[in-house]
Amino acid sequence: MSAIAIELADGRTISGHCDAQFTGVLAEFRRNFEERKEQGASVAITHQGRMVVDLWGGLANPQTGEVWARDTISIVYSCTKAATALCLHMLVDQGKVAYETPVGDIWPEFATAGKEATTVGMMLTHTSPVPHVAEPIRKGGLADWDYMTARVAAEPAHWEPGTRQGYHGLTYAWTVGQLIRLISGMPLGQYFRENVAGPLGLDFHIGLPESEELRVAPMIAADPAEVNFASDFFRKATTVPGSLPNLFLTNQGGANFNSREIHAAEIGSANGITNARGLAGMYTPLANGGGVLLSPDRVHCMGRVCAATQSDAVLCQPMRFAMGFMATTDNRATGGDSLILGESAFGHVGMGGSVGFADPAAGLAMGYTMSRMGAGILVNARGQGLIDAAYRALGMTTDSSGAWR
């Protein structure tokens, strides 16, 4: 790969390496800074297991002027769900549990209040009936594992298990995370570190050690002027108290995701901390048959679309999910938020626009992280522009369905 050192007009820099075939990705990354208000970010891509893009740039902290360095990391919000799902798939692959297993066989306290028929597979696909908890979460509650698992276990079903799809924006941390803890006998963060991040050499943490705190770029909230408050999701979130969109955005116990308390906690739905290299590195084995993590059959199974709806009960728009991962979802014609990938690809976005995915058909894995959040609930132009450039570099085009082929 060619070394990159670009100074932007405002004095910020872009550094790293980029294969000549993927210079379109570099062009889009630069465009993000020059035209799309990027502050600090990283993007990494592997193709057939080889790193072809590894770029970073801008400022990690605009208030102090600290630059985004090669080892800068940031919170990737719901990209964490993919890491959590991966851990459960590994336990399935090892024969320690099955997708059809009733959750009550593993976690008896959960099998109450209409949730008795919930299966492990439903937990993965957001068809479990606990998309959120209705009563207020106490201050600091998100950082208390025992408190949150007890709250989730006691929550009455919001629908009959398996009959509806509703994004488990926060509760995924404990619906899936508690299964991992009970089946493996170790906390989620430890299981991920010992079985995924460690073996792959990833700078990716669910529960950040205090020694790494100084490397974290603080997140910058989206500009309210960019938010489409007329969308069904934001309309309900802001005007219908107690609705699932409203609970998702407001019932968080006052959590500050830039705080040391949240960074140190294990919130497997929302507080993973890494950079693009870490995301791409996690997906690289999945784009190439499973590697040291999973069998090829398991990768095929986990990437299949198995839950899709015209109106997700929380996100209030069409969504397509594989087993714990988002699949390509094209809502451009209706003005909704989208994620346009290859038809075989699976991955996950994070609030504000971070994204990681694997495309086994293309042998492609990618990660993108940033500090300035964008509006919307899936990717925005910054992330999608990078994705599109990666596919174009492989000579692929979009078909009539909008997916890359």
Side-chain angles (χ1 to χ4, degrees):
M1 292 192 296
S2 300
I4 302 299
I6 297 172
E7 183 171 346
L8 303 174
D10 60 6
R12 293 180 297 171
T13 61
I14 293 174
S15 303
H17 295 82
C18 182
D19 189 278
Q21 183 179 353
F22 289 84
T23 54
V25 176
L26 171 60
E28 283 295 320
F29 193 58
R30 180 171 184 166
R31 184 181 177 192
N32 284 347
F33 287 97
E34 294 177 334
E35 301 179 19
R36 296 169 177 152
K37 302 180 181 179
E38 192 81 272
Q39 286 294 319
S42 64
V43 59
I45 298 171
T46 66
H47 182 231
Q48 297 178 345
R50 183 174 70 91
M51 184 73 74
V52 293
V53 175
D54 184 11
L55 298 169
W56 59 91
L59 299 179
N61 189 333
Q63 292 187 340
T64 65
E66 180 185 355
V67 300
W68 190 294
R70 184 182 188 279
D71 67 346
T72 296
I73 50 180
S74 63
I75 199 161
V76 293
Y77 292 112
S78 288
C79 290
T80 316
K81 291 181 176 70
T84 301
L86 172 58
C87 292
L88 187 52
H89 284 295
M90 292 173 69
L91 292 169
V92 173
D93 208 38
Q94 295 161 15
K96 296 181 179 180
V97 68
Y99 301 128
E100 301 79 18
T101 301
V103 170
D105 289 358
I106 306 162
W107 184 7
E109 295 84 354
F110 183 88
T112 61
K115 306 190 300 297
E116 294 84 352
T118 307
T119 66
V120 170
M122 292 175 195
M123 293 291 218
L124 283 165
T125 60
H126 299 269
T127 58
S128 152
V130 194
H132 206 75
V133 293
E135 296 302 315
I137 294 171
R138 69 166 175 80
K139 183 175 176 58
L142 291 193
D144 186 331
W145 185 275
D146 292 339
Y147 169 79
M148 288 306 303
T149 53
R151 288 292 310 273
V152 168
E155 182 75 5
H158 287 251
W159 53 74
E160 182 181 344
T163 63
R164 197 172 184 189
Q165 178 183 305
Y167 185 57
H168 288 40
L170 285 176
T171 53
Y172 206 86
W174 305 285
T175 55
V176 177
Q178 180 71 341
L179 294 181
I180 293 165
R181 177 182 281 244
L182 294 173
I183 295 164
S184 70
M186 65 178 72
L188 167 63
Q190 180 184 351
Y191 186 89
F192 179 72
R193 181 174 63 253
E194 294 185 5
N195 293 278
V196 180
L200 297 179
L202 306 181
D203 188 4
F204 195 150
H205 312 268
I206 304 176
L208 184 75
E210 189 168 8
S211 61
E212 310 304 311
E213 187 68 34
L214 291 177
R215 296 193 293 121
V216 180
M219 300 305 290
I220 303 167
D223 183 347
E226 298 177 6
V227 178
N228 178 15
F229 288 106
S231 71
D232 286 346
F233 172 76
F234 281 109
R235 179 179 56 80
K236 290 181 180 179
T238 56
T239 65
V240 186
S243 66
L244 288 174
N246 174 261
L247 291 172
F248 173 33
L249 284 192
T250 66
N251 189 16
Q252 301 182 9
N256 174 6
F257 279 82
N258 280 330
S259 69
R260 174 63 196 149
E261 177 188 41
I262 291 297
H263 292 174
E266 294 185 358
I267 306 174
S269 58
N271 84 328
I273 295 178
T274 186
N275 50 30
R277 201 177 306 110
L279 280 177
M282 182 182 75
Y283 281 105
T284 294
L286 309 183
N288 296 277
V292 299
L293 299 184
L294 293 164
S295 66
D297 286 347
R298 184 63 51 205
V299 174
H300 176 72
C301 177
M302 64 197 280
R304 267 197 327 247
V305 174
C306 53
T309 179
Q310 283 296 310
S311 183
D312 183 275
V314 177
L315 301 182
C316 304
Q317 68 166 40
M319 289 296 301
R320 300 170 76 237
F321 282 97
M323 293 287 279
F325 301 87
M326 291 180 173
T328 188
T329 301
D330 188 354
N331 291 321
R332 291 173 295 184
T334 58
D337 291 314
S338 299
L339 173 65
I340 313 300
L341 305 172
E343 192 54 45
S344 77
F346 56 94
H348 218 289
V349 305
M351 184 169 64
S354 55
V355 62
F357 71 91
D359 189 331
L364 184 71
M366 178 176 167
Y368 161 67
T369 69
M370 76 295 142
S371 58
R372 192 188 83 83
M373 299 167 65
I377 50 180
L378 296 183
V379 294
N380 53 55
R382 286 177 282 158
Q384 191 63 56
L386 295 168
I387 293 168
D388 293 348
Y391 278 116
R392 283 195 296 267
L394 298 179
M396 299 173 67
T397 58
T398 53
D399 62 16
S400 58
S401 71
W404 283 95
R405 294 186 184 275

